[in-house]
Structure formats: structure tokens, C-alpha cells
């Protein structure tokens, strides 16, 4: 779907997603703590999210749930008491997960704890110290160069204590116990594309799915990156085999073209469904092979699980200069790009939902379509040839072994037309849908 082809409803959704991202932007999120809870509560006003709290120290595979981090204030003040770096001005100023500090030190001592980007002198970098008990401040390079010699008071009013790791989960039952997993991370502070765009899209996708008829059950996860998916997988091993398809959503709000990173399996149904939707979108896109780097797909696709979970992005992590800096703000993402990502996801889910196998009930030579009014039905369509070809392909390949996506791919026709042709043929008793086990469904 090209951006110009949006329905007004999808256009409006883009605005709503952007509004949610704007509301969540100021919150200082981290792996754990009050910022994550506040974020989940805000999402919980839009979808009935179930909150989970996992105690610090819980063993999750080879990892341990970390102590909970909370921060109230942090600053560097000069000798006159003037705050030269202030957490209240931007939450990226403090290295995320910094231990508490209250000290006076020289400019040189302070400098060992400062992080800036000489090549982007106006941007504040985003740094974390999750698993090393350290502290630091991030600031623009210009700001760093302007700090004169002298004594500085350094205060980080944080706590790093036994508490909980929080995550949110929303499950929507469908006809089947088989699940589609949608996962996004909620651990980045004031960053727009990497974090908030994925949260906004997952939230509004969940609302959309809730109003649609569903063959699949759905599970939406709002989790801190890496440790969150590891924790979820460790606590839900018995459920994991239900997950048939999945998407990690991140960096979905910028102006770049859609990028899809395949699952480790490489040609799973989700990989084929996303590829099909993007190929028929009429707009540029990119498809990448799986690599064990990126977001939570690394855990879902670890060999002990090997789930069919890919990652949908626009410009990937690390491939845009604003990535992990204060320039990845609300100006980098836009309602239209969020709407385009939403439309892509909704189209992918429609493929998965409608990807049945059918059986031709009149397989010996072509049935007479004209007698049944099926040629007329096709001729009124906007592009007469594709619907007609879709019908002939569906009849020809519905031998019980080809799915509708197989047929759409082989015919090079958009899935929606193939699905529509199959529905019409079913109505005229020329085709029957097969159940998962291969029986003719009633
Ligand atoms: Zn990130």
C-alpha cells in the first residue's frame, strides 16, 4: 500500500499513534522501574494490558533479573551551584542504570564519566550501564567542551535495589490455540523511533486485532529489551510451541522504506507473508536475512526455540545517524510513516488469517464459470484480468497441497484477490476450504 492509498481511518490511526508516542516521550524508561510501569499503565488505558512483576534475582536461563533502577534527580553543578548538566532537562543526560553518586570532583575526574559525540556535537548520546555497576553523564560535545576547569558537584539520586522487572501482556483468543506473537521493547527513555514507534504500533495493532474476526489467537508483549524476552520465554516454556508466527516491531516511525528482517528459519510463513505484502505494496522496501543481532528476535530465534519471528522496521537500528541519540526524537517519526507501518502489519495479519488450503470440487477440466455468473463478477472489477486469473489459479492449484499464499506467489497476484476468488468459488460450491488437519470444513 502506498502512502497515498491510505483510508481516512488509517490516516487517523497514524495521528493517534503519534499522539501516544508524544505522551510517552518524556518518561524516563529503563529495563525496570517506575518509568516502565508508568508506560505500561498509559498503554493500559488503550488496551487491557495484564501487568507482570518478576522479582529481582529470579534466574531466567543463563541470566538473572537485575535489581530495579529508579531515579529522581541527577545533575552536575559548577562551583557557583549552577547545574551545567541536568537530568530534568533531558533524561538521556544520565547513563541509564547509573549507581547513586554524591561527590565533589575536578574537571578531569568528572571527564572520565562523560560521554559525548564529537562528530555530532549538538546531540546527546544514549548510554546504558545495565550490568556493570557504574555511573556517567551524557551531554552534547559542545556542552562538554564548554565546561571550564574547576570543582564540580556530582549528584545522581538513583536507587538500584531489589525490586521487580515489569512487563505487559495482552492475549486475545481466536478460533485456534495457535498464536501470533507481536513483541516490542519498552526500555528506552526519551527516544522516538527506537522504542516509542514500536510501542505505538503494537498498541494500535492490538486494538485493530481485537475488533476483527480471528482464526489465530494473539499475544502482544511490551517488554524490556533482551532481559524481557528472556524472562518471558523462561516463564512460559510450556506455551512457546503455540506460537506459529511472530513479529518484533521497532523503528517503524521514520521516513525510510520498510525493512523486514527474516526469522532464523528464513522461509517461514511469516517471512513469506511479509515478503508478499511488501512486494505488492508498490513502494520501495528491503528484506534482510536473519542475523543474531538486533532486538528480541535474537531470543525468540535462539536455537532452543527457533520461533518463526521476524522483525519489521523502517530504517534499521544503527543505519540512521540519529539512532541512540537525542536526535531520535518526535521529529524523526511521523504519523504517515506510523500509518504506513500499521497498514503493512494489518495486511500481513490478513494474509496469515486467510491463508487456508482449499480443494477444487470440480477438478476434472475447468468448471463453466460463465454459467454461474462468475465471469461477470470478475469483469466488473477494476482490473479485470487479475481477478479472472486469480480464480483460474485458485481452481488449478487447489489440490489440497497448496495454500492460498502459495497460489498468490505462484500467480504473482496480490493475496487479497486470491482470497476473494477463493471465497466466491466456495459460495458457488466449486471449492471447499480444508481444516488444519486436511478435512473439508463444513
Ligand atoms: Zn535501542
Amino acid at each position: 500500500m502506498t502512502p497515498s492509498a491510505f483510508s481516512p481511518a488509517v490516516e487517523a490511526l497514524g495521528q493517534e499513534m503519534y499522539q501516544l508516542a508524544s505522551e510517552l516521550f518524556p518518561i524516563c524508561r529503563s529495563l525496570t522501574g517506575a518509568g516502565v510501569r508508568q508506560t505500561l499503565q498509559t498503554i493500559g488505558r488503550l488496551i487491557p494490558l495484564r501487568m507482570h512483576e518478576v522479582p529481582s534475582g529470579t534466574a531466567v536461563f543463563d541470566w538473572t533479573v537485575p535489581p530495579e533502577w529508579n531515579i529522581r534527580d541527577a545533575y552536575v553543578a559548577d562551583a557557583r551551584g549552577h547545574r551545567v548538566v541536568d537530568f530534568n532537562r533531558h533524561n538521556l543526560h544520565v547513563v541509564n542504570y547509573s549507581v547513586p553518586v554524591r561527590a565533589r570532583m575536578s574537571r578531569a575526574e568528572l571527564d572520565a564519566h562523560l560521554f559525548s559525540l564529537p562528530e555530532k556535537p549538538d546531540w546527546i548520546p544514549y548510554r546504558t550501564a545495565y550490568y556493570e555497576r557504574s555511573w556517567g553523564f551524557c551531554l552534547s560535545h559542545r556542552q562538554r567542551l564548554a565546561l571550564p576547569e574547576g570543582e564540580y558537584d556530582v549528584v545522581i539520586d538513583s536507587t538500584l535495589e531489589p525490586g521487580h522487572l515489569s512487563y505487559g501482556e495482552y492475549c486475545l483468543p481466536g478460533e485456534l490455540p495457535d498464536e501470533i506473537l507481536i513483541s516490542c521493547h519498552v526500555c528506552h527513555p526519551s527516544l522516538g523511533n527506537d522504542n516509542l514507534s514500536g510501542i505505538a504500533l503494537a498498541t494500535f495493532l492490538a486494538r485493530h486485532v481485537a475488533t476483527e474476526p480471528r482464526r489465530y489467537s494473539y499475544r502482544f508483549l511490551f517488554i524490556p529489551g533482551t532481559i524481557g524476552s528472556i524472562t518471558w520465554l523462561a516463564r512460559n516454556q510450556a506455551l512457546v510451541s503455540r506460537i506459529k508466527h511472530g513479529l518484533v516491531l521497532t523503528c517503524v516511525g521514520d521516513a525510510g522504506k520498510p525493512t523486514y528482517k527474516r526469522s532464523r528459519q528464513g522461509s517461514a510463513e511469516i517471512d513469506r507473508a511479509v515478503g508478499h505484502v511488501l512486494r505488492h505494496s508498490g513502494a520501495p522496501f528491503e528484506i534482510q536475512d536473519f542475523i543474531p543481532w538486533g532486538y528480541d528476535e535474537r531470543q525468540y530465534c535462539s536455537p532452543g526455540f527457533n520461533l518463526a519471528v521476524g522483525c519489521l522496521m523502517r530504517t534499521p537500528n544503527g543505519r540512521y545517524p540519529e539512532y541512540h541519540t537525542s536526535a531520535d526524537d518526535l521529529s524523526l517519526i511521523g504519523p504517515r510513516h506510523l500509518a504506513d507501518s500499521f497498514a503493512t502489519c494489518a495486511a500481513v495479519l490478513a494474509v496469515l488469517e486467510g491463508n487456508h488450503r482449499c480443494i477444487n470440487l470440480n477438478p476434472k477440466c475447468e468448471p463453466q464459470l460463465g454459467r454461474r455468473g462468475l465471469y461477470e463478477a470478475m469483469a466488473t472489477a477494476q482490473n479485470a484480468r487479475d481477478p479472472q486469473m486469480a480464480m483460474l489459479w485458485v481452481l488449478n492449484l487447489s489440490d489440497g497441497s497448496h495454500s492460498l499464499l502459495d497460489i498468490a506467489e505462484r500467480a504473482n497476484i496480490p493475496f487479497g484477490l486470491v482470497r476473494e476468488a477463493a471465497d466466491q468459488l466456495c459460495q458457488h460450491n466449486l471449492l471447499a476450504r480444508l481444516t488444519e488437519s486436511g478435512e473439508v470444513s463444513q
Side-chain angles (χ1 to χ4, degrees):
M1 183 182 286
T2 53
S4 58
F6 286 155
S7 67
V10 173
E11 190 103 35
L13 272 177
Q15 293 292 347
E16 284 187 86
M17 286 186 273
Y18 188 79
Q19 208 178 323
L20 175 60
S22 309
E23 186 180 351
L24 295 174
F25 187 78
I27 301 172
C28 182
R29 276 164 292 272
S30 185
L31 285 190
T32 60
V36 177
R37 286 192 195 98
Q38 196 187 339
T39 300
L40 296 176
Q41 277 156 11
T42 305
I43 298 166
R45 294 205 313 263
L46 295 162
I47 52 174
L49 208 56
R50 188 167 161 220
M51 316 279 185
H52 298 266
E53 298 279 348
V54 184
S56 304
T58 305
V60 285
F61 298 120
D62 200 40
W63 298 58
T64 306
V65 173
E68 183 176 321
W69 187 69
N70 284 291
I71 182 158
R72 285 154 294 279
D73 192 13
Y75 60 89
V76 176
D78 63 18
R80 290 170 301 142
H82 175 68
R83 290 187 178 205
V84 291
V85 184
D86 188 354
F87 168 76
N88 294 303
R89 250 182 268 157
H90 206 304
N91 58 36
L92 290 182
H93 275 316
V94 171
V95 171
N96 206 285
Y97 252 73
S98 283
V99 295
V101 177
R102 203 171 282 273
R104 176 164 289 191
M105 62 188 68
S106 69
R107 169 78 176 79
E109 282 173 289
L110 172 65
D111 205 70
H113 293 274
L114 297 182
F115 301 93
S116 62
L117 299 167
E119 65 284 9
K120 296 286 180 195
D122 292 314
W123 297 355
I124 308 165
Y126 164 53
R127 289 287 184 113
T128 64
Y130 294 147
Y131 301 105
E132 23 173 309
R133 295 185 68 92
S134 65
W135 63 271
F137 283 88
C138 300
L139 68 175
S140 76
H141 199 62
R142 243 180 257 291
Q143 206 180 351
R144 184 181 191 168
L145 294 178
L147 293 178
E149 290 301 323
E151 293 279 288
Y152 288 91
D153 280 319
V154 175
V155 172
I156 298 181
D157 181 12
S158 65
T159 47
L160 199 54
E161 290 167 354
H164 293 85
L165 175 149
S166 317
Y167 68 87
E169 186 171 33
Y170 178 36
C171 295
L172 278 160
E175 280 171 39
L176 301 172
D178 297 354
E179 290 185 4
I180 296 177
L181 171 73
I182 304 290
S183 179
C184 65
H185 60 286
V186 294
C187 51
H188 288 28
S190 292
L191 291 166
N193 202 32
D194 179 10
N195 204 156
L196 290 174
S197 68
I199 295 172
L201 176 55
T203 304
F204 281 85
L205 200 58
R207 289 182 81 177
H208 165 74
V209 167
T211 62
E212 295 279 299
R214 295 180 296 277
R215 189 160 64 108
Y216 284 106
S217 298
Y218 286 77
R219 186 181 301 273
F220 291 83
L221 291 180
F222 297 83
I223 50 176
T226 306
I227 189 69
S229 50
I230 292 171
T231 300
W232 189 86
L233 286 163
R235 284 162 53 99
N236 293 282
Q237 288 194 69
L239 297 179
V240 169
S241 63
R242 290 190 200 162
I243 298 172
K244 303 301 175 196
H245 324 283
L247 283 177
V248 168
L249 302 178
T250 178
C251 301
V252 286
D254 68 287
K257 59 180 185 288
T259 302
Y260 176 67
K261 183 176 133 184
R262 290 190 182 101
S263 73
R264 179 179 182 270
Q265 298 179 25
S267 57
E269 197 174 330
I270 183 70
D271 302 318
R272 296 177 55 219
V274 180
H276 179 83
V277 166
L278 293 176
R279 272 194 298 282
H280 287 277
S281 69
F285 66 92
E286 186 178 329
I287 293 184
Q288 301 178 340
D289 279 327
F290 177 79
I291 54 163
W293 183 250
Y295 294 94
D296 289 302
E297 68 279 6
R298 290 157 65 173
Q299 314 311 328
Y300 301 128
C301 295
S302 57
F305 293 110
N306 197 24
L307 296 177
V309 176
C311 179
L312 187 72
M313 300 167 276
R314 298 185 77 83
T315 309
N317 51 305
R319 291 244 308 260
Y320 56 100
E322 300 89 349
Y323 173 72
H324 278 189
T325 77
S326 56
D328 183 355
D329 61 11
L330 292 169
S331 68
L332 192 72
I333 64 175
R336 290 191 73 81
H337 315 310
L338 289 165
D340 184 65
S341 298
F342 176 90
T344 301
C345 287
V348 168
L349 297 183
V351 171
L352 296 173
E353 285 286 347
N355 190 23
H356 313 292
R357 282 178 302 143
C358 296
I359 186 91
N360 183 340
L361 301 176
N362 188 95
K364 291 184 173 165
C365 300
E366 291 176 358
Q368 228 185 316
L369 297 175
R371 181 155 62 81
R372 295 174 170 87
L374 286 170
Y375 266 128
E376 288 84 341
M378 291 184 287
T380 56
Q382 223 169 31
N383 181 348
R385 197 184 154 273
D386 269 1
Q388 189 171 333
M389 285 310 295
M391 209 167 268
L392 296 174
W393 274 112
V394 169
L395 283 169
N396 189 280
L397 288 179
S398 288
D399 52 10
S401 66
H402 296 93
S403 72
L404 294 181
L405 180 57
D406 293 333
I407 298 171
E409 292 283 83
R410 173 95 173 257
N412 193 27
I413 291 174
F415 182 85
L417 286 180
V418 168
R419 173 85 202 271
E420 220 166 279
D423 287 349
Q424 286 197 31
L425 290 166
C426 284
Q427 279 163 27
H428 286 83
N429 295 319
L430 291 171
L431 195 75
R433 193 178 136 181
L434 298 178
T435 62
E436 313 298 310
S437 54
E439 316 279 310
V440 171
S441 85
Q442 298 307 309

